[in-house]
């Protein structure tokens, strides 16, 4: 199946279980796969026949910054819900949400979650 891919979308937000995470914020990195039938767009060369990744990025940014959540799982879920509710052409969304600045005493590139949701 066809996919639209968004990689390493960096968004500054205020999620986490620690008070300083909600106060100071940090970067979150999104990798998003959207399963979409792109056949029409492949022939028409018209953005109206596909899902605009620019619009999806605006949706993800809005949803992930309008509220503060404790868990990455919740951020990923509300993001997936927003994409599926806003873009009916998307029948499956896969999100990996990375937290590279998680306040832990360890040497790591990032911690995160991955979810898949479909209609």
């Amino acid at each position: 199946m066809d996919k639209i891919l968004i990689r390493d979308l960096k968004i500054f937000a205020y999620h986490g279980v620690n008070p300083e995470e909600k106060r100071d914020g940090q970067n979150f990195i999104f990798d998003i796969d959207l399963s979409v039938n792109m056949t029409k767009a492949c022939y028409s060369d018209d953005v109206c026949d596909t899902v605009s990744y620019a619009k999806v990025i605006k949706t993800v940014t809005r949803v992930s910054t309008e509220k503060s959540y404790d868990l990455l799982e919740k951020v990923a879920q509300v993001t997936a819900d927003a994409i599926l509710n806003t873009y009916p052409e998307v029948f499956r969304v896969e999100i990996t949400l990375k937290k590279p600045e998680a306040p832990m005493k360890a040497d790591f590139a990032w911690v995160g979650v991955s979810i898949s949701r479909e209609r």
Side-chain angles (χ1 to χ4, degrees):
M1 181 41 62
D2 306 327
K3 286 189 176 183
I4 294 171
L5 307 173
I6 299 170
R7 291 291 180 264
D8 296 327
L9 173 61
K10 187 188 301 185
I11 297 175
F12 191 86
Y14 297 86
H15 309 296
V17 296
N18 299 310
E20 65 273 12
E21 293 178 284
K22 291 196 183 320
R23 181 189 67 231
D24 302 335
Q26 61 193 291
N27 289 306
F28 295 86
I29 311 295
F30 289 79
D31 288 341
I32 303 168
D33 293 16
L34 307 172
S35 295
V36 178
N37 184 339
M38 292 188 282
T39 304
K40 188 174 181 182
C42 289
Y43 289 101
S44 72
D45 195 28
D46 187 342
V47 71
C48 294
D49 292 331
T50 190
V51 175
S52 165
Y53 47 81
K55 289 181 180 178
V56 172
I57 288 171
K58 286 181 184 178
T59 299
V60 173
T61 301
R62 177 184 51 78
V63 169
S64 63
T65 59
E66 68 187 358
K67 284 182 137 182
S68 178
Y69 300 103
D70 288 346
L71 300 179
L72 292 179
E73 291 86 343
K74 179 67 173 184
V75 178
Q77 183 63 54
V78 297
T79 303
D81 288 344
I83 291 169
L84 291 172
N85 291 331
T86 306
Y87 306 97
E89 306 88 344
V90 175
F91 65 87
R92 180 181 178 86
V93 60
E94 299 168 51
I95 296 174
T96 297
L97 178 52
K98 305 171 192 174
K99 190 173 181 178
E101 301 160 8
M104 298 185 299
K105 293 184 184 197
D107 186 16
F108 61 93
W110 54 271
V111 295
V113 299
S114 287
I115 66 168
S116 298
R117 301 293 184 264
E118 57 187 69
R119 335 193 148 269

